[in-house]
Amino acid sequence: MNISGSGSSSESVREFILLGFPCSREIQVILFMFFSIIYLLTLTGNGAIICAVFWDQHLHTPMYILLGNFAFLEIWYVNSTVPNTLIDFLSETKTISFTGCFLQLYFFFSMGSTECFFLSAMAFDRYFAICHPLHYATVMTRQQSFNLAISCWVCGFLWYLVPVILISQLPFCGPNAIDHFVCDSGPLLTLSCAPAPVSKLISYTLSSLIILLSFFFILISYALVLLAVLQLPSASSRHKAFSTCGSHLSVVLLFYGTIMVMHVSPGSSHSTLMPKIMTLFYAMVTPLFNPLIYSLRNREMKNALWKVLEKFKMSLKVFDSRPSRSVK
């Protein structure tokens, strides 16, 4: 993967300028503070889910193993874009190197692809648990759930590799200003000095395939789950199944609703502001809400999070008591 900036693709352009959100210095500082709060809350919420799944033995089941991986993914998803965006809010130049731009493009799209695979895997897990409960325990073992999680990571990071390589080999001879706060494939293809119909087709096709195929797979899985749940004799069992699947579906609708507008809708007639708002929503807002959705609608997760909080409080008490003991 040659993105080092050598050769024809970087004879004139050695760096790109991310225009971000053009506004006054005062507004930039306010946006920096606002995005910083969202960033810290996202890291805290998803980190709490990871700790809960890791420490609570009752959550060492396929569903929560996948959820823990999903929370870990969300942390890296926001880290692929947000730190650089925060720096740009306070920077005068707002530049990113040629290599840094394409690394961000690769990791940003790879994380997005991996999220599609994980949401599909979680939908399949719920389908298998509810529609085939007698075989679930023997088929979806802990080892199988780890294998499924690894497969999601590998497939997600391989999915968009070819388009990134193709776009990185295009000639960029100026201008180098990207009207976005992240390095996205659309603006980069526009900045290319030569037409790139093959790269554009492959990029659009792979983006559309992963989004549409995973989305319809999830819809079919939950449609089958709904039919199975309606046939359950116990009202409490129906409520528990609806609660679990409802949280999953909420995350699916939040994520896919925005990426479909950005990467699947035909044409490119969006205003310059709309892609930024949509990207901001699925790259920052969705990872922020996911921990709230999963914890508020899940009693087991809420109990595990309370245990994590209690352990954290005990650790603080032990830490605070050490200086006093040393004084004595």
Side-chain angles (χ1 to χ4, degrees):
M1 183 175 175
N2 181 17
I3 57 172
S4 60
S6 61
S8 61
S9 61
S10 62
E11 287 179 356
S12 298
V13 173
R14 298 281 180 176
E15 60 185 19
F16 294 99
I17 300 173
L18 294 173
L19 299 179
F21 299 92
C23 51
S24 65
R25 184 67 178 173
E26 291 76 15
I27 301 298
Q28 294 271 341
V29 173
I30 293 173
L31 289 175
F32 170 81
M33 296 173 63
F34 179 67
F35 282 14
S36 296
I37 293 172
I38 292 178
Y39 177 59
L40 292 175
L41 289 175
T42 302
L43 296 183
T44 303
N46 286 285
I49 287 182
I50 294 172
C51 293
V53 173
F54 180 78
W55 280 329
D56 196 326
Q57 297 290 329
H58 296 95
L59 300 186
H60 291 183
T61 60
M63 182 180 79
Y64 291 108
I65 289 173
L66 292 173
L67 179 57
N69 275 270
F70 187 74
F72 183 72
L73 167 67
E74 295 289 57
I75 289 176
W76 287 106
Y77 197 18
V78 295
N79 275 321
S80 66
T81 57
V82 177
N84 188 74
T85 303
L86 293 176
I87 293 172
D88 286 344
F89 279 132
L90 303 180
S91 173
E92 295 292 338
T93 57
K94 304 184 187 301
T95 58
I96 184 171
S97 67
F98 186 93
T99 303
C101 184
F102 280 96
L103 283 175
Q104 186 185 73
L105 173 68
Y106 171 68
F107 282 107
F108 183 58
F109 273 80
S110 295
M111 297 293 178
S113 301
T114 306
E115 182 152 344
C116 291
F117 282 112
F118 264 110
L119 289 172
S120 300
M122 293 163 76
F124 174 75
D125 174 74
R126 290 300 83 206
Y127 158 75
F128 210 87
I130 294 174
C131 298
H132 303 282
L134 298 179
H135 303 286
Y136 180 75
T138 55
V139 175
M140 284 296 291
T141 60
R142 189 181 300 180
Q143 184 60 47
Q144 286 294 87
S145 60
F146 278 118
N147 293 338
L148 185 59
I150 292 171
S151 299
C152 290
W153 284 104
V154 173
C155 292
F157 274 79
L158 290 177
W159 188 264
Y160 209 75
L161 181 61
V162 172
V164 173
I165 294 175
L166 291 176
I167 297 172
S168 70
Q169 301 306 308
L170 295 174
F172 295 95
C173 48
N176 65 337
I178 299 175
D179 193 8
H180 213 314
F181 64 92
V182 297
C183 288
D184 201 356
S185 57
L188 284 169
L189 286 167
T190 304
L191 291 178
S192 173
C193 299
V198 176
S199 300
K200 187 177 293 187
L201 178 63
I202 293 175
S203 176
Y204 176 78
T205 302
L206 287 179
S207 297
S208 300
L209 276 177
I210 184 64
I211 293 169
L212 291 175
L213 289 179
S214 60
F215 182 67
F216 285 120
F217 177 84
I218 292 168
L219 286 185
I220 293 171
S221 297
Y222 281 119
L224 295 174
V225 166
L226 178 61
L227 293 175
V229 168
L230 292 176
Q231 296 175 4
L232 292 176
S234 171
S236 60
S237 298
R238 288 197 299 270
H239 180 268
K240 184 178 180 180
F242 275 127
S243 179
T244 304
C245 296
S247 62
H248 290 185
L249 276 174
S250 300
V251 172
V252 167
L253 293 176
L254 274 174
F255 181 69
Y256 281 94
T258 49
I259 61 173
M260 280 187 175
V261 174
M262 277 293 297
H263 299 289
V264 180
S265 57
S268 55
S269 58
H270 306 293
S271 67
T272 56
L273 183 61
M274 185 58 68
K276 298 176 187 179
I277 294 175
M278 291 298 172
T279 304
L280 187 67
F281 196 88
Y282 68 76
M284 288 188 66
V285 178
T286 304
L288 171 66
F289 285 144
N290 286 351
L292 295 175
I293 293 171
Y294 281 117
S295 59
L296 292 177
R297 295 180 63 91
N298 190 308
R299 183 179 299 176
E300 292 177 328
M301 180 56 68
K302 281 193 287 188
N303 293 335
L305 289 173
W306 276 114
K307 292 179 183 178
V308 170
L309 184 61
E310 290 298 322
K311 286 187 177 183
F312 181 71
K313 288 181 179 178
M314 290 178 61
S315 300
L316 287 179
K317 288 181 180 178
V318 171
F319 182 78
D320 291 338
S321 64
R322 284 178 181 176
S324 61
R325 288 177 182 176
S326 62
V327 172
K328 291 179 181 180

